[in-house]
Amino acid sequence: MNNKIIDAAQGHWLLAKMGKKVLRPGGKALTLKLIKALSITPADSVIEFAPGIGFTAQKVLANNPQSYLGVELNEAAAKDLRKIIKGNFRDIIVGNAAAVPLEDRVADKIYGEAMLTMQADHRKAAIIKEAYRLLRKGGLYGIHELGLTPDGISDKLKAEIQHELALSIKVNARPLTQSEWICLLEKEGFRVKEIHTNPMILLETRRILDDEGLFRSLKIGYNILRQPRARRRINQMRSVFNKYKNHMNAIVIVAEKV
Ligand SMILES: C[S@@+](CC[C@H](N)C(=O)[O-])C[C@H]1O[C@@H](n2cnc3c(N)ncnc32)[C@H](O)[C@@H]1O
């Protein structure tokens, strides 16, 4: 990666280039809780919004759902995903989760991780609405996103966190409090069934070890050490996460279409 690309890359792609596989705020542990809460069975038609590099997709496919469709905006990511996700009734399309080219009520389970946070609030609502449209009655929608805490966090601090996140991860991240996430889901007709949270320590050594295992963690460390420019950016991200660690968390919510 040349310096220009390193300086401009969105935080998650920079981390992915360094070899990181787990790119969502609550780490592998929260992803596993999400998958458990969705209780995916061989009878389910599953849609994933923004599969990214396919980490969760592979775990979900181990449950052998009847069908799996990933809707990924990034063409290069979709191309790579097609190399690992293949077979009958397994598909990846390049597209926007807010406008999926499918009929109404075709899915039993829909989920997306670390993808709503990066949308403005009206776009978050459009994606949640689309999940509602695509699900059958009784179907489940799971999200795994960045949270703000406590519920009564001041607008000033919220704006400060959003500003610093945008500067460091180069994504206009707009995390919400737990009640705001719930409110968005309920507004579109969902009933919340389960909520799990985890600290937002994506770049702390113990979380990296937990998420990636020892061998991959060493490899990521080596890649970062070799590239001072990337190291500087990742340190900046880590220091923002650290600065606001008492006001940011990771949240999983699973909601039902009633
Ligand atoms: C931070 S990454 C998370 C990827 C993956 N879900 C994970 O947790 O590892 C964000 C991903 O969301 C995708 N994305 C963002 N907005 C999207 C949208 N409206 N529809 C589909 N994919 C989207 C991006 O292309 C990127 O792959």
Side-chain angles (χ1 to χ4, degrees), residues 178-203:
Q178 179 166 311
S179 16
E180 287 171 332
W181 282 119
I182 292 173
C183 186
L184 270 185
L185 289 161
E186 288 181 345
K187 225 171 165 177
E188 303 307 330
F190 283 104
R191 182 169 62 205
V192 170
K193 280 193 74 185
E194 254 182 71
I195 300 178
H196 300 278
T197 59
N198 224 6
M200 169 51 190
I201 49 168
L202 185 69
L203 297 178

Side-chain angles (χ1 to χ4, degrees), residues 15 20 22 201-214 216-218 220-221 224 234 238:
L15 293 172
K20 203 157 172 9
V22 177
I201 49 168
L202 185 69
L203 297 178
E204 295 298 310
T205 310
R206 69 186 149 108
R207 172 70 71 74
I208 295 177
L209 277 168
D210 200 34
D211 283 348
E212 314 286 346
L214 180 61
R216 180 167 284 280
S217 300
L218 289 171
I220 295 167
I224 295 175
I234 291 167
R238 189 191 286 121

Side-chain angles (χ1 to χ4, degrees), residues 12-13 21-24 48-53 55-56 71-74 77 95-98 112-115 118-119 127:
H12 53 277
W13 290 125
K21 295 260 184 222
V22 177
L23 302 170
R24 67 301 313 258
E48 176 169 5
F49 290 163
I53 56 173
F55 176 89
T56 307
V71 183
E72 174 54 59
L73 200 58
N74 184 298
N96 185 343
E113 297 176 286
M115 61 84 65
M118 59 168 60
Q119 325 282 336
I127 291 171

Side-chain angles (χ1 to χ4, degrees), residues 32-156:
L32 294 178
K33 284 187 184 165
L34 169 71
I35 296 175
K36 187 160 179 247
L38 287 169
S39 56
I40 291 162
T41 73
D44 285 334
S45 297
V46 175
I47 299 176
E48 176 169 5
F49 290 163
I53 56 173
F55 176 89
T56 307
Q58 284 174 302
K59 302 233 169 289
V60 162
L61 287 170
N63 292 343
N64 203 21
Q66 203 227 321
S67 67
Y68 168 93
L69 174 74
V71 183
E72 174 54 59
L73 200 58
N74 184 298
E75 226 165 286
K79 198 169 160 214
D80 287 343
L81 282 163
R82 287 197 188 104
K83 292 181 196 150
I84 52 171
I85 294 167
K86 355 176 185 193
N88 285 342
F89 304 107
R90 269 96 184 105
D91 207 358
I92 298 290
I93 56 170
V94 178
N96 185 343
V100 179
L102 290 177
E103 311 267 289
D104 297 355
R105 296 182 295 277
V106 290
D108 303 291
K109 311 280 160 72
I110 300 183
Y111 65 93
E113 297 176 286
M115 61 84 65
L116 286 177
T117 304
M118 59 168 60
Q119 325 282 336
D121 286 355
H122 68 284
R123 290 193 200 281
K124 289 181 176 75
I127 291 171
I128 297 171
K129 208 185 272 285
E130 189 66 343
Y132 192 87
R133 181 185 76 76
L134 292 165
L135 279 171
R136 300 190 176 104
K137 196 168 165 227
L140 297 180
Y141 176 42
I143 66 170
H144 175 177
E145 296 293 336
L146 196 55
L148 290 175
T149 180
D151 266 338
I153 189 170
S154 71
D155 287 345
K156 184 168 171 277

